[in-house]
Every structure is written in structure tokens, then in C-alpha cells.
Amino acid sequence: MTDQMEGPSSSADAARLNKRNVRGSMLLLVGRLVSLLFTVLTQIVIVRALSKTDYGVFAYAFTITAAGRIVLSLGQGRGLSRFMAKYEEEKDYARMFGAILMAVGAITVTSFVLLGGMAVGLAPLIGKSFDNPSTTGVLLALMFLAPLNALDQVFVSIFAVFSKPTAIFFRKYLLTPALQLGVVVFIAYTGGTVAALALGYVLTSAFGILIYFWLFFAVMRERGITFRLGRDKVIFPFREVFSFSVPTLTTELVYLVTNTGSVIILGHFHGAKALANFRAVLPAARLNQVVYQTFVTMFLPMTARLHTRGDHEGVRETYWHSSHFQAVATFPIMVMTTVFARETTVTLFGERYAGAASVLVALSVGYYVSVALGFNTYVLQVYGKFKFLIYSNLGVCVVSLALAFALSPRYGATGAAVANGATMAAQNIVNQMALIRVLGWGSNPMRWIRPYIVVAAGLLVLVAVRLAVNPGFLEAMLVSTIVTLGVVRVTRRELDLLAMFPELRKIKPLRLLMA
């Protein structure tokens, strides 16, 4: 590593990239919250407008579509941002456009295979298992969402590389959810069928992709990048891209195994009631991932740029800063879904789901550990630790299924949740140990550890409150907010929020809290 890379200019550049990353990620977080609002409203209208049978068909087809999206991209969707950032940093546009065409080509080829297989045999076979004549048509229509959503991920990666979070905010979190809500309201008002609803979803997604194409060419013109097929040279970096995408694909496999596998095993041994306990609280547990899933969009290309520049110190700084930010930002959600899990469960789902509080605790612990330790998997990918990640992911799949088989038959939904949570936590701890070997601790390890000590202290305070007072839901939210503000105050130097968002200085209470 050269002195130049380790000097003040490199540190300033890394700080500038990190600031842009945090600000862009916060915009996407706001967008994600807006999208969640649209999604909730859409869900309410759908449930009220459709019969139970039609809604069951729609929900089942939508689940199949989500799994199809993961398979179609062959792990290239999110990983594309890593290579685009690297090639743009090196001004290697031949490989940059080659990587884009490879991602689109992989989605196109696999889409023909998937959609052909669904049309010929799988959709009619699934349709026969439902007492609803529209099942096959709905499934086939919604399956077109799989390639459209895979293309959506490609464009998200592209705009993240070019630091255009506003494009992602407008298209992904505002336009498409609003259009989908409009379609659902129209279907409900006119008494349309579930097949019409499925078609409406596909058309709104297709329209969103056309908007992305328009924004993409506008960004290319803005950056002075031109490319014409047949005139400009294209280099397809097959080996480099697929060596990266295979670990990414195994990571997606972990997601499918831990979420789908445990549900299948639980349903086999305990039936619908246990599944209800597990699935009812799962969305609440996944709220722990909202900040993480939003920040990863901008983090991966930023880390790829720093790594391409040889700025090892910059990678370490931005990794730990983003990890601390996520640990603190997710803290109030974590405590409401662990320390005050029973109050949260009963308030959201009713007294009949009180027994699912232990499920919520187990899942939330796993999610929070993975969030608080940050993007260790993605940093390891950037540093080329592919063999370790493949073995780690395959090992996690085996351990997850083994724990599910060991715990689910005896402990039901709680056992399945413990299997999932323990697997997530263990995988991230192992990845963290590997990451420390790659990045090192630097000259002041306590600088990275201190925020976690503060978070642990805040958690202990709330556990003590829970044992001493046993507050209700609203009181729990109030005390959690107060302790969270204390955590923000004590970790203000590590978070450096006033530097990230100078506008906060204009708000006196926030300035006093973070100064």
C-alpha cells in the first residue's frame, strides 16, 4: 500500500464517499418507509376486495414469484454494482457494459427456461391442487414479475454505482408502489378478478422498467459515457463476474433454506397452528433488517471503489461506521421485538398469539446480530474470499436444516425460530472473524468495539425496566425511545451524524443531542 493511499487525501476521499453513501442511504430509507406504507394500504385493499380463495391463490403465486426472482439473476443482480464501480473507477467501459449485458443476458435466458417450464407443466400441475379455476392463469401472469424484478435489481445496482439514489427513490419506492395501489383500488372499485389484479401488477412493473431505461440513458449522457452496440468494443468478464456471483448465489440459497426449509419442516411436524405462530411474527422480526437492506444498496459500490483504489484504511473506516450506524438505528426495533416481545406481539396480533412472543425473540436476536455486525459478507466478497464464503454458506444450509429437524419436532414454532436465529447469528460471527483477519483492527480497536458496549448497556437497562416494572406497550415504547436517545448521545462521535447531515445543526434539540 502506497503512502499516498494511506495519507490525508485518501482519508478525506473515503470520508467524502462515506458521507455520500450515508446521505443517499437515508434517502432510500425514507423511500422504503413510504413504500411500506403503500404496501400496507395495498395489502388491506387486496384482502378486503378478494375472496379468501382468490387471495390465497394470489399470495401463493406471489411467493413463487419472489423465489423465481432469486433464481433468475444467478446471483448477478446485486453483485453487478461491485464490478460496475470497479470498471468505472478504472475507466474500463468495455468491461463495464459487458458486465451489464451479462446480467441482462442471464436474466433473459433463465426467464425463457423458467416461464417455459411453468407454462408447459408446473403451473397446470400446481393449479390442480387449488380449488380455483383461475390459479393457473394467475400463476403464469405473476411469473412475469420474476424477470421484471430481477431487472429492477440490475437497475438499482447501476444507479447505486452512479450515486443516483433519487432515481431509485422515485422509481422503486414511490412510483411503482403508488401505481400498484392505484391498480388494486381500481380492481376493488370495479369488482375485477384476481387475474386482472395479477395483470395489473405485471403492467405496472413493466412500466417501471421502461422508466428505468429512460433514466439510465439520461445518466449516461450526464456523465459523458457513450456506447453503441456494433461500434464500441465489449469485453465480457465471464470469469471475474461468475467467480463473484457464485458466492452471492449461495447466499441467496441460505436465505431460501433457512426461511423456506424451516417452514416446511415445522408444517410437517406441527401443522397450521404452529405455522401461524411462526409466520405471524416474522414480518415484525424482519423490521430489524429495514436499515440494513436499505444501506447495502449504496455500500457495495462505495466499498468496491475504495478497494479498487487500494484504500484499505478507507474500507475499514466505512465498514465500521456503517455497522455502528445500523446497530444504533436498529436498536429501538430490536428491544421492542426482544425485551418487550410479548407486549409487541399481543398489541399487534392479539392475545391468541401471545405464545408467539418467544418466536419473535429468537428470530429478532438472529436478525439483529447480523445487522449489527454490518456488511461483513459483502466486504469479504470485494476482497475475493469466495472459497470461504461458499463453504460458509453451504455449511450454514446444513446446520440450519439440522437444527430445524432437531428443534422443531419437540419445541414447535419456537424451535424453528431458534434454529433460524442461531444460524443467522453463528454465520455472521464466523464471517466477522474472517473479516477481522482481512481488515485488521487498526491502531485503536476500542474505537470499533465501544458502540457495541454502549448498545449492550442500553439493552441491560431495558431488561431491568422490564423485570422491575413490566410496562405496557406504549410505556415500553416511551422508555425504549429515552434509552435510544441516550445511546445516540454516548455514541455521537462514532456516528458523526452532524458531519453526515449538517442540516441537523439548524434544529436545536438535535444539535444539543449530537454535538
Side-chain angles (χ1 to χ4, degrees):
M1 193 127 1
T2 64
D3 293 337
Q4 182 181 5
M5 286 298 177
E6 294 178 350
S9 62
S10 175
S11 298
D13 196 39
R16 178 182 59 82
L17 282 176
N18 188 43
K19 180 178 179 180
R20 190 168 65 186
N21 164 61
V22 173
R23 291 178 67 88
S25 297
M26 285 301 294
L27 175 64
L28 296 184
L29 180 59
V30 172
R32 193 177 185 88
L33 295 176
V34 172
S35 177
L36 283 173
L37 176 61
F38 277 119
T39 301
V40 170
L41 291 175
T42 301
Q43 183 79 355
I44 291 171
V45 177
I46 289 176
V47 171
R48 289 179 176 273
L50 299 180
S51 66
K52 271 193 172 183
T53 303
D54 282 346
Y55 176 70
V57 168
F58 185 82
Y60 183 86
F62 212 80
T63 301
I64 298 295
T65 297
R69 193 273 305 166
I70 294 174
V71 174
L72 288 183
S73 63
L74 296 179
Q76 293 190 68
R78 182 167 284 165
L80 177 63
S81 61
R82 188 260 195 229
F83 292 101
M84 284 196 61
K86 177 179 182 292
Y87 296 143
E88 198 212 8
E89 193 70 27
E90 297 170 345
K91 307 299 181 186
D92 189 352
Y93 297 126
R95 284 185 171 81
M96 186 181 81
F97 283 104
I100 295 174
L101 292 175
M102 283 176 60
V104 174
I107 292 169
T108 302
V109 172
T110 52
S111 295
F112 276 111
V113 175
L114 178 65
L115 293 174
M118 291 295 295
V120 171
L122 191 55
L125 183 63
I126 294 174
K128 290 179 181 178
S129 64
F130 283 82
D131 186 22
N132 191 316
S134 62
T135 300
T136 301
V138 171
L139 185 57
L140 286 175
L142 283 182
M143 281 310 298
F144 281 93
L145 282 180
L148 291 172
N149 289 341
L151 285 173
D152 181 271
Q153 183 60 60
V154 168
F155 280 108
V156 166
S157 297
I158 292 171
F159 290 121
V161 169
F162 293 142
S163 298
K164 293 293 181 181
T166 50
I168 303 171
F169 174 87
F170 172 73
R171 154 61 181 90
K172 187 176 182 67
Y173 296 130
L174 192 62
L175 178 63
T176 299
L179 287 176
Q180 288 176 344
L181 177 59
V183 167
V184 169
V185 170
F186 177 77
I187 294 295
Y189 181 76
T190 60
T193 64
V194 65
L197 177 62
L199 180 61
Y201 261 66
V202 172
L203 291 177
T204 55
S205 292
F207 179 71
I209 295 297
L210 292 177
I211 294 292
Y212 265 153
F213 270 108
W214 176 72
L215 292 172
F216 171 73
F217 289 114
V219 170
M220 291 295 101
R221 288 193 299 270
E222 178 185 315
R223 300 178 79 89
I225 301 174
T226 59
F227 176 79
R228 292 182 184 175
L229 281 173
R231 189 196 71 174
D232 296 322
K233 183 179 180 182
V234 178
I235 298 175
F236 295 102
F238 288 105
R239 183 174 181 180
E240 192 172 8
V241 170
F242 280 107
S243 66
F244 184 90
S245 60
V246 169
T248 305
L249 192 58
T250 59
T251 300
E252 302 283 14
L253 177 64
V254 170
Y255 174 82
L256 288 175
V257 168
T258 54
N259 287 274
T260 307
S262 58
V263 169
I264 293 173
I265 294 168
L266 178 62
H268 174 73
F269 285 104
H270 289 278
K273 287 188 177 180
L275 282 174
N277 276 341
F278 188 91
R279 295 294 298 182
V281 299
L282 184 59
R286 283 180 175 166
L287 288 175
N288 285 279
Q289 287 190 309
V290 168
V291 177
Y292 177 96
Q293 291 174 340
T294 304
F295 270 60
V296 71
T297 301
M298 304 295 292
F299 177 84
L300 188 53
M302 176 191 65
T303 305
R305 288 187 187 278
L306 293 172
H307 180 261
T308 302
R309 297 173 186 178
D311 189 356
H312 183 76
E313 181 66 26
V315 173
R316 181 165 55 217
E317 289 276 344
T318 54
Y319 164 74
W320 282 112
H321 182 263
S322 64
S323 300
H324 296 157
F325 192 93
Q326 291 175 97
V328 174
T330 310
F331 178 78
I333 298 174
M334 181 269 289
V335 296
M336 289 303 299
T337 55
T338 55
V339 179
F340 302 111
R342 192 182 189 285
E343 290 75 13
T344 299
T345 303
V346 172
T347 300
L348 294 180
F349 309 109
E351 190 66 40
R352 60 180 177 156
Y353 281 101
S358 58
V359 177
L360 181 58
V361 172
L363 291 173
S364 296
V365 168
Y367 282 124
Y368 185 74
V369 170
S370 62
V371 166
L373 294 180
F375 305 115
N376 46 36
T377 298
Y378 295 105
V379 177
L380 289 171
Q381 287 178 353
V382 167
Y383 274 85
K385 303 301 179 182
F386 304 128
K387 185 180 293 187
F388 166 80
L389 288 170
I390 292 173
Y391 288 145
S392 172
N393 289 334
L394 294 178
V396 164
C397 290
V398 173
V399 171
S400 176
L401 290 175
L403 284 175
F405 273 115
L407 299 177
S408 295
R410 183 173 181 180
Y411 300 105
T414 301
V418 170
N420 276 19
T423 300
M424 284 188 286
Q427 181 187 24
N428 277 275
I429 291 170
V430 171
N431 286 350
Q432 191 70 18
M433 293 168 65
L435 183 66
I436 294 301
R437 294 182 64 181
V438 172
L439 291 182
W441 284 107
S443 58
N444 184 14
M446 282 305 299
R447 180 185 171 195
W448 317 128
I449 298 173
R450 183 173 175 272
Y452 296 110
I453 296 175
V454 176
V455 166
L459 181 62
L460 290 175
V461 168
L462 289 170
V463 169
V465 170
R466 173 72 173 80
L467 294 175
V469 182
N470 194 21
F473 181 74
L474 294 179
E475 292 85 354
M477 288 188 67
L478 177 61
V479 72
S480 296
T481 301
I482 294 171
V483 174
T484 298
L485 292 175
V487 170
V488 171
R489 173 65 182 172
V490 178
T491 59
R492 64 192 183 281
R493 290 188 178 86
E494 288 81 4
L495 299 179
D496 202 17
L497 290 177
L498 292 182
M500 299 292 113
F501 305 96
E503 303 89 342
L504 296 179
R505 296 179 185 275
K506 299 177 182 178
I507 306 174
K508 188 174 181 180
L510 294 178
R511 185 174 72 246
L512 293 175
L513 176 68
M514 301 173 190

